[in-house]
Amino acid sequence: MDLIFDGNLCLNKEDMFFEAKSAIKGIPMSTWESYSAFANSFGGVIILGLDEKDGALVVGGVKDTKKIVNEIWNTVNNPQKINCNILRADDVNVTEHNGKEIITINVPRADRHDCPVYINNDLYGGTFRRNGPNDHRCNRPEIASMVRESADMPLDASVLDDFDMNDIDLDTLSRYRTFMRLGDEKHLWNTVRDDEFLRLIGAVKKDKNGELRPTMAGLLMFGHEYRISCELPDYKLDYMEYIRSGAEWEHRIISGDGRWSGNVFDFYMNVANRLSVSVNRPFSIGGDWRRIDDTDIDKALRESLINALVHTDYRGRAGIRMEVRPDVVIVRNPGLFRIPIRTAKEGGYSDPRNPTLAKMFSLIGAAERAGSGLYRIMETWKNNGLESPLIEEDLEPPSVQIILSMKADPRTSVISEENRIINIMATDGNVSIEKISQMTGITKSRVEMNIKKLREAGRVKRIGEKRGGRWMVV
């Protein structure tokens, strides 16, 4: 962060990412509480040498900075003081302001494998998180969540010894298998029995007595809601449409209402079949259960739903919530990001909280496991000239929220001609050049020129004859 000074005063205010400490008598003990809090939250900066006087931060300085810096490194490398050193060599720096030296400690956000970061060899008394401008001592559920997140064995792969095959909803399983069969009719697993199929996809495993038991992923994907809730008391799936302005929803799909199974797969199917209609992008279903007139925004909206389902901490609070409003779609799920948001936006790497669920969706062509989901969403909004999606993390309760605006980005004057043409082709593969010209206001000659560029770039291709054929967006 950038510090702003006016003479002997630091104009910055303490907040979620900044903590000031006086160092007149050396390093305050509370420094290490802040170290733990920043590490277990979103990272932050600790400044030693700023004294609080009458609500202002005054540069008091640090005496013998060389000694204090050595003490900092000795402390973070002492497992009896700090269980984990996450600082790099350049994270501790000395600078001079108004003739006095201060010390900056840049505390990064800890990798999930290193959490919880705690002090004084005391897990339950020495684990902190940041709460606005203050550090708060974590309670046992918060610590349990961090310990759970640090493990490499995913929750959804665990075997549920108190459940059996009767907890699987066979109607849901039948729908899933039909959908998979229509997507890949030659897949070898299409012909196996249900119990073997469930074992192959990771939905059930044998216990120590050789009995088939659902995994957490199997129960979530195919189970009955009332049984899922026995294992996960805070389990909730909620989709709401607000077609008009106002506080009242006009269409809702919620687990636990007794009208449907309440499991993850049926929730995905029910919501996916509503999304395009609810955001005024109609589509129809073909004989192979695949969408006709499927746009890139349709795909991105479903991708945002899949992201929530496979990245949710199902032992977390609040459940999954998706709101569709006239000008925005909001998706919220329990659990923080497990990789830096910057890495997720760039694509190519993923660390799903529920990899078995991700595999199950991948088998029906509903998700890719290449870590490109968030990247594709960001690119789709950019290519369509919409306001960039907002991604927010919250610690109370731990959750992620993505806000997908349907408004044009004021920083984008127009969507490129090429992208406008692609969007039309994605909606209607049989559209003519004349029709594209009428819809976009682009001259026929420029439409033809843009299509030529798109074909040469491999972004669109023509299927069939010139007359009677159709466009395909690659």
Side-chain angles (χ1 to χ4, degrees):
M1 64 174 291
D2 294 325
L3 292 177
I4 303 172
F5 291 89
D6 182 5
N8 203 39
L9 296 179
C10 176
L11 302 184
N12 300 74
K13 300 295 183 181
E14 291 181 315
D15 58 20
M16 187 75 181
F17 305 97
F18 171 50
E19 177 73 19
K21 303 286 186 184
S22 174
I24 295 174
K25 298 181 180 180
I27 303 176
M29 291 303 298
S30 62
T31 299
W32 307 118
E33 294 179 3
S34 297
Y35 173 89
S36 168
F38 284 137
N40 292 324
S41 302
F42 306 124
V45 176
I46 303 170
I47 305 293
L48 300 182
L50 295 179
D51 306 329
E52 186 173 351
K53 293 181 180 180
D54 300 326
L57 296 176
V58 180
V59 179
V62 177
K63 295 181 180 180
D64 199 349
T65 53
K66 183 176 180 180
K67 175 185 175 182
I68 296 298
V69 167
N70 286 334
E71 187 177 339
I72 291 170
W73 287 114
N74 288 335
T75 301
V76 296
N77 287 311
N78 182 352
Q80 297 302 312
K81 296 291 185 178
I82 309 287
N83 74 308
C84 181
N85 174 21
I86 61 172
L87 299 182
R88 300 179 299 267
D90 59 353
D91 283 330
V92 180
N93 298 282
V94 177
T95 56
E96 183 180 318
H97 292 279
N98 209 31
K100 297 179 181 179
E101 291 185 320
I102 63 174
I103 297 175
T104 300
I105 307 173
N106 292 299
V107 184
R109 179 177 182 171
D111 184 274
R112 69 177 179 88
H113 296 95
D114 295 327
C115 290
V117 175
Y118 55 92
I119 64 175
N120 300 329
N121 205 23
D122 184 359
L123 175 62
Y124 293 104
T127 300
F128 293 82
R129 263 187 171 161
R130 197 71 174 169
N131 184 7
N134 302 306
D135 305 322
H136 85 89
R137 183 175 283 105
C138 293
N139 57 36
R140 286 180 177 266
E142 288 176 301
I143 295 170
S145 175
M146 284 187 271
V147 171
R148 189 167 64 244
E149 287 291 289
S150 69
D152 285 323
M153 174 59 73
L155 172 70
D156 74 338
S158 59
V159 180
L160 304 177
D161 292 329
D162 294 332
F163 295 76
D164 58 32
M165 296 295 288
N166 292 321
D167 296 309
I168 300 295
D169 182 55
L170 296 181
D171 289 337
T172 300
L173 177 60
S174 177
R175 285 189 288 274
Y176 178 89
R177 297 200 68 176
T178 298
F179 202 78
M180 180 174 169
R181 190 177 299 113
L182 290 170
D184 186 357
E185 61 182 14
K186 296 182 180 180
H187 200 291
L188 294 176
W189 295 354
N190 288 335
T191 58
V192 302
R193 299 184 319 182
D194 282 350
D195 55 354
E196 178 64 5
F197 178 79
L198 289 168
R199 188 188 67 80
L200 289 169
I201 66 172
V204 301
K205 292 181 181 178
K206 289 184 178 180
D207 64 12
K208 59 184 178 181
N209 297 318
E211 295 291 329
L212 286 175
R213 305 284 183 185
T215 61
M216 182 67 77
L219 184 68
L220 286 166
M221 195 74 161
F222 305 113
H224 301 286
E225 185 275 337
Y226 69 92
R227 290 296 284 154
I228 298 174
S229 296
C230 290
E231 179 67 21
L232 303 169
D234 293 313
Y235 172 81
K236 185 179 180 181
L237 308 174
D238 198 358
Y239 168 83
M240 290 180 287
E241 291 176 15
Y242 298 81
I243 305 303
R244 302 183 185 90
S245 59
E248 293 296 324
W249 52 265
E250 300 194 20
H251 184 83
R252 191 175 192 183
I253 301 170
I254 184 170
S255 58
D257 67 358
R259 299 174 184 274
W260 56 291
S261 67
N263 57 46
V264 165
F265 177 70
D266 283 340
F267 181 72
Y268 169 74
M269 292 300 297
N270 290 336
V271 172
N273 285 328
R274 290 288 314 177
L275 280 175
S276 292
V277 174
S278 62
V279 293
N280 298 317
R281 297 178 183 277
F283 65 91
S284 58
I285 299 294
D288 61 352
W289 282 30
R290 300 296 177 184
R291 296 173 187 273
I292 301 172
D293 300 342
D294 203 18
T295 70
D296 53 351
I297 288 186
D298 292 324
K299 296 172 185 176
L301 289 172
R302 295 197 300 273
E303 190 76 43
S304 68
L305 174 59
I306 290 287
N307 277 353
L309 294 172
V310 304
H311 290 290
T312 282
D313 177 5
Y314 285 97
R315 292 202 183 277
R317 290 178 285 157
I320 296 172
R321 181 186 180 101
M322 187 171 197
E323 296 180 22
V324 176
R325 296 181 180 273
D327 57 358
V328 68
V329 176
I330 304 171
V331 187
R332 184 179 179 90
N333 64 270
L336 301 174
F337 270 90
R338 286 155 64 96
I339 60 175
I341 294 180
R342 180 187 69 259
T343 302
K345 288 181 177 180
E346 292 172 350
Y349 177 74
S350 181
D351 185 14
R353 190 170 273 108
N354 302 287
T356 309
L357 279 181
K359 171 187 173 182
M360 292 175 182
F361 280 114
S362 178
L363 285 170
I364 58 173
E368 295 184 9
R369 288 181 288 166
S372 57
L374 187 56
Y375 170 78
R376 284 205 305 270
I377 293 170
M378 302 295 291
E379 285 296 296
T380 296
W381 254 243
K382 177 181 176 181
N383 290 339
N384 283 275
L386 300 174
E387 291 180 353
S388 182
L390 296 178
I391 302 168
E392 302 173 343
E393 288 185 282
D394 197 349
L395 288 173
E396 186 50 44
S399 58
V400 170
Q401 178 170 275
I402 180 168
I403 302 173
L404 303 168
S405 172
M406 294 298 172
K407 297 179 180 178
D409 189 341
R411 296 169 299 179
T412 305
S413 57
V414 293
I415 306 173
S416 71
E417 290 182 354
E418 291 180 7
N419 283 326
R420 291 165 68 189
I421 292 170
I422 281 181
N423 289 338
I424 292 172
M425 289 179 170
T427 301
D428 182 4
N430 296 312
V431 68
S432 66
I433 291 175
E434 183 176 2
K435 181 68 172 178
I436 293 174
S437 177
Q438 293 173 357
M439 294 174 70
T440 61
I442 305 170
T443 64
K444 288 177 62 176
S445 61
R446 286 192 63 83
V447 170
E448 291 173 340
M449 179 187 70
N450 279 296
I451 291 175
K452 181 180 179 182
K453 290 181 181 179
L454 291 169
R455 296 181 75 170
E456 290 174 349
R459 297 181 68 187
V460 300
K461 62 182 179 180
R462 186 75 179 175
I463 306 299
E465 301 295 330
K466 185 174 183 180
R467 294 183 179 276
R470 71 190 313 271
W471 297 106
M472 179 178 178
V473 177
V474 181

